[in-house]
Amino acid sequence: MTTATGKHRSRTGTLGRKVAAFLTAAAAAVGIATVATSSASADDRDDLGPNNCIWSDYGNFVQNCWFHSDAMGQDIQVQIKRSNSDAAVYMLDGLRARQDWNGWTWQGDIGSVFTNDDVNVVMPVGGPSQFYTDWVGQYHGSEGPFNPRWETFLTSELPNQLAAGYGISPNNNAVVGLSMGGTAALNLAANHRDQFKQVTSLSGYLNTTAPGMYLALQYAMGEGNPGANIWDMWGLPLDPARFRNDPLLNVPKLNGLPVWLSAGTGIAGPNDDFFADPMGGMAGFGLELMARTETAPFELAARAAGANVQVSYPMQGIHNWTLWNPELKNARPAILDALHVQYRAEGPAW
């Protein structure tokens, strides 16, 4: 397991690099062209980044960093797990995104998925009920950012800073999202094909202009953060911004893109204690059923548009982390393949 002490990790990483350099030089001296070293021998994940980064209490090589957004007029926290490669997977949260950490850490247990893979993991923090989109108006919820310009941040401002300070390519990324984040992931991938090489939606809402969805999304946004209004986000029902942010309408832009889709049935699984929170269980049933209802036709449309679609439709699973963590593990090989990253066999973190 990892520690939260940056100094200890930096010494370990430095020693690993010295050992790797010595072995490579020794091999060249005896006529060996290259020496293959494991990712354990020298790994940038041991080093803190330049953006006022500190080690996260979550461990698993995750660090908390802050990147400035001119569009939003503030610094945005982003949690990062570094690697030696230039590839990155962006992990997007759900409607109840927190202000202190991305849900994929403590709730989604991202450390059990990508910790030992040679891929950077980028996890923006904050933005409850904001759908990672550029709003047409101001945000009136209790927690910011209050001038949401997430699309600009995630596809321009953040990639430029990651390239300059971390060596992460702005053109070799995947994007993964759950619920609200699944909707956003597909929209970002469709509208920024030069950046994203793979997209994964877990329980996303994939037809946001369907009849009744305007009011349904308003209700969900208010539940995620009171004061969040869909008319402030995408305008009135006929505003072009609303149609630009409907994944189903963006399907023609997905031609040739690897797409992973997942949604459950809403039926509680073995890890769900329905009777401990009956109201939450009912909400989880309804939300997941709606996601499944919209994901299935989206799959057919995406296939018809020429996307390279893979799906996982488990027979059990409510709108909860008990579904999303195992489904991310199922999607992991496809994500890493699209980024040309070799993936390790399953096992515990070092």
Side-chain angles (χ1 to χ4, degrees), residues 51 66-71 73-76 153 157-158 161:
N51 292 75
W66 283 262
F67 297 83
H68 186 69
S69 170
D70 287 334
Q74 68 176 81
D75 290 344
I76 301 295
F153 178 68
E157 295 175 330
L158 181 60
Q161 293 176 72

Side-chain angles (χ1 to χ4, degrees), residues 7-272:
K7 292 182 179 179
H8 172 74
R9 287 180 175 173
S10 295
R11 287 197 299 267
T12 303
T14 301
L15 177 60
R17 272 181 278 278
K18 289 180 179 179
V19 171
F22 173 78
L23 291 175
T24 303
V30 296
I32 300 175
T34 60
V35 172
T37 60
S38 72
S39 59
S41 64
D43 204 322
D44 283 347
R45 65 185 183 171
D46 291 321
D47 298 327
L48 284 170
N51 292 75
N52 298 316
C53 295
I54 60 173
W55 292 114
S56 168
D57 290 341
Y58 173 69
N60 293 291
F61 300 96
V62 173
Q63 52 189 274
N64 304 332
C65 306
W66 283 262
F67 297 83
H68 186 69
S69 170
D70 287 334
M72 290 193 266
Q74 68 176 81
D75 290 344
I76 301 295
Q77 182 182 351
V78 179
Q79 295 185 283
I80 298 175
K81 189 278 290 184
R82 302 182 68 179
S83 81
N84 289 333
S85 79
D86 70 349
V89 53
Y90 286 54
M91 304 296 303
L92 306 184
D93 213 335
L95 275 166
R96 290 175 173 80
R98 297 171 56 99
Q99 301 289 19
D100 47 359
W101 38 262
N102 183 294
W104 279 109
T105 56
W106 293 102
Q107 294 171 304
D109 194 20
I110 195 71
S112 68
V113 186
F114 293 119
T115 295
N116 291 336
D117 292 321
D118 196 14
V119 66
N120 298 278
V121 181
V122 177
M123 297 173 283
V125 176
S129 294
Q130 295 188 356
F131 277 84
Y132 297 102
T133 188
D134 284 359
W135 284 43
V136 300
Q138 294 294 306
Y139 178 72
H140 299 290
S142 59
E143 299 177 288
F146 297 101
N147 185 37
R149 298 293 185 271
W150 284 103
E151 182 176 358
T152 297
F153 178 68
L154 293 173
T155 63
S156 178
E157 295 175 330
L158 181 60
N160 289 338
Q161 293 176 72
L162 290 175
Y166 299 78
I168 296 176
S169 171
N171 307 115
N172 190 28
N173 308 139
V175 57
V176 177
L178 66 98
S179 190
M180 167 186 92
T183 306
L186 284 164
N187 286 329
L188 291 172
N191 290 313
H192 301 275
R193 287 293 303 274
D194 59 331
Q195 179 176 358
F196 297 109
K197 307 306 180 188
Q198 195 275 347
V199 57
T200 296
S201 170
L202 307 178
S203 307
Y205 303 111
L206 309 187
N207 187 191
T208 55
T209 60
M213 282 299 289
Y214 192 84
L215 292 179
L217 286 176
Q218 173 58 35
Y219 175 79
M221 290 171 66
E223 287 291 300
N225 195 354
N229 300 315
I230 189 171
W231 50 88
D232 294 322
M233 182 170 71
W234 289 333
L236 296 176
L238 297 181
D239 194 295
R242 183 172 177 236
F243 293 90
R244 183 181 181 275
N245 286 282
D246 185 337
L248 187 62
L249 299 182
N250 283 326
V251 154
K253 303 175 186 177
L254 299 178
N255 180 36
L257 186 71
V259 177
W260 182 282
L261 303 172
S262 175
T265 58
I267 300 173
N271 296 320
D272 298 306

Side-chain angles (χ1 to χ4, degrees), residues 268-282 318:
N271 296 320
D272 298 306
D273 189 353
F274 181 86
F275 295 102
D277 181 14
M279 292 300 294
M282 289 300 297
I318 64 174

